[in-house]
Amino acid sequence: MSEPWRRLPALSIKQIQYFVTLAQLRSFTETANRLAISQPALSSALRQIESVLGGKLLHRTAQGVSLTEQGQAVLPYAERLLNTAHGVFDDMQQVMRQGGDGTLRIGLVPSVSTLLFPAVPQLLSEYFPDMRVEFHDLTNDALLLELENGSVDFGIGATDSTVPGSVAIYPLLEDPFVAVVRRDDALAEGHNIPWRQLAKRDIAMFSKGNVSRLVTSMIESHRLNLHVGYRVDFQETLYGLVRSRLAVAILPELYTATLNDSELTVIHLQQPTLSRTVAMMRIPAPLRSPKTEQCFQFLLQTFHRQIKQKTERFI
């Protein structure tokens, strides 16, 4: 692409349109009527084109208009320029109608992916076929930042005291904390255990973020004598520590939705019950376009319907 500040010839797209239309209709009167301009204005525009290009494009006679040899040579280029201008203008209008480039940007924390895939992308494709969808995999803290700076349109994450007042929250479900242990662990004999039973065990959990803050706050507020021996960044590292009999992993249940390991099992923690609220989040101000707003409301209703159906299935 050439430099946008490079000086252009003193011609407008409308003047090119006048020349192409006149070349097709071969009549000043009909061309002026079709373009809703006066014949003197049309004649002036054609003289301007000829002056800038440096040659005569038309012969005007009593019988009508004919192109010179130079005019016939120039015409395909003028038509190409005019067609490109029409196409680009149509694209720009569509962008303005959509409030952006037609892309929906959804931020999500990794553990909520089971709420989305595979059904949600398929539904969006069906109901919003012209919308391109991007999924941005983010930590909860990064999601909040990207919501505030407008890098994503809305997101799905977890709430806690760090969610700023500028972010609107639409709760979806409560995601309880669980322990992941080996199947041959004595703790695996029950489906539920109180937190105090972990007192003599090394605990592994995420090193930072929403999950770490919630567990740390709960341990401190209930004065639990628990030893967090490992703080890691990745889910698979947690599972590796459990497989190696080095620790019991603590994390929200949604993280374990895709756990498919014959060596490991999931146990619910209680006394106290700890959960995080998974929610859709957005900036309260109107979203970029009506279509983006429609997508948000559609997904919100879809999630509520899916979660209700899953809940009823277990009642």
Side-chain angles (χ1 to χ4, degrees):
M1 178 181 178
S2 63
E3 297 87 347
W5 52 84
R6 178 182 172 192
R7 185 180 295 277
L8 289 168
L11 292 176
S12 69
I13 296 297
K14 278 192 173 295
Q15 288 171 322
I16 298 297
Q17 182 185 40
Y18 296 166
F19 168 61
V20 172
T21 305
L22 184 59
Q24 292 179 355
L25 298 180
R26 303 298 176 99
S27 165
F28 269 82
T29 300
E30 190 174 348
T31 298
N33 290 337
R34 184 75 61 88
L35 297 172
I37 59 173
S38 67
Q39 287 195 44
L42 178 60
S43 297
S44 176
L46 266 297
R47 286 195 298 272
Q48 174 77 5
I49 296 174
E50 291 177 332
S51 174
V52 170
L53 294 181
K56 193 169 181 62
L57 300 175
L58 301 163
H59 291 304
R60 185 175 184 179
T61 65
Q63 287 73 34
V65 175
S66 62
L67 295 178
T68 66
E69 185 175 343
Q70 288 176 312
Q72 290 175 341
V74 165
L75 180 60
Y77 296 96
E79 290 174 332
R80 186 174 69 184
L81 178 58
L82 185 60
N83 288 334
T84 300
H86 278 306
V88 170
F89 188 70
D90 288 344
D91 290 342
M92 289 192 295
Q93 281 189 316
Q94 183 176 1
V95 167
M96 294 303 292
R97 285 194 299 269
Q98 294 177 339
D101 62 358
T103 300
L104 178 67
R105 300 170 179 88
I106 303 174
L108 62 148
V109 296
S111 57
V112 303
S113 61
T114 53
L115 297 176
L116 281 162
F117 305 111
V120 168
Q122 294 171 355
L123 286 171
L124 287 174
S125 176
E126 179 182 350
Y127 287 92
F128 301 93
D130 297 329
M131 184 74 78
R132 188 166 68 90
V133 183
E134 292 180 356
F135 294 100
H136 295 248
D137 206 12
L138 303 164
T139 65
N140 208 70
D141 293 342
L143 172 61
L144 296 175
L145 289 174
E146 299 222 354
L147 284 170
E148 288 196 292
N149 65 31
S151 297
V152 295
D153 295 305
F154 51 84
I156 307 168
T159 67
D160 65 11
S161 59
T162 65
V163 178
S166 59
V167 174
I169 297 170
Y170 299 78
L172 298 176
L173 58 84
E174 290 299 310
D175 186 20
F177 277 74
V178 297
V180 176
V181 301
R182 287 180 58 93
R183 289 188 182 275
D184 57 6
D185 193 306
L187 295 174
E189 295 176 2
H191 295 293
N192 302 281
I193 59 170
W195 285 84
R196 66 177 180 274
Q197 281 194 233
L198 302 178
K200 296 182 180 180
R201 305 291 295 270
D202 275 336
I203 292 174
M205 56 186 260
F206 292 124
S207 60
K208 53 185 176 292
N210 174 276
V211 171
S212 175
R213 286 191 296 268
L214 287 170
V215 174
T216 301
S217 176
M218 189 275 297
I219 291 174
E220 292 174 354
S221 64
H222 287 80
R223 299 180 180 180
L224 295 173
N225 184 25
L226 300 180
H227 179 243
V228 180
Y230 302 91
R231 293 182 180 270
V232 303
D233 293 330
F234 300 103
Q235 181 177 346
E236 189 51 43
T237 307
L238 288 178
Y239 295 156
L241 290 167
V242 177
R243 292 189 194 99
S244 301
R245 294 185 171 87
L246 293 173
V248 173
I250 303 297
L251 68 171
E253 188 176 29
L254 275 179
Y255 276 96
T256 68
T258 56
L259 177 61
N260 185 21
D261 190 318
S262 59
E263 290 186 85
L264 305 182
T265 190
V266 177
I267 305 171
H268 283 84
L269 293 166
Q270 57 187 17
Q271 299 176 22
T273 299
L274 177 66
S275 67
R276 61 173 185 165
T277 301
V278 174
M280 290 187 71
M281 304 177 186
R282 59 178 282 184
I283 298 301
L287 295 176
R288 286 184 300 117
S289 70
K291 183 169 284 189
T292 306
E293 180 68 44
Q294 290 169 12
C295 285
F296 175 84
Q297 297 298 336
F298 173 79
L299 285 182
L300 183 61
Q301 293 171 13
T302 298
F303 287 138
H304 281 154
R305 186 167 57 251
Q306 287 181 344
I307 292 165
K308 182 180 179 182
Q309 289 172 349
K310 287 182 180 178
T311 303
E312 291 174 345
R313 207 175 299 147
F314 289 103
I315 293 177

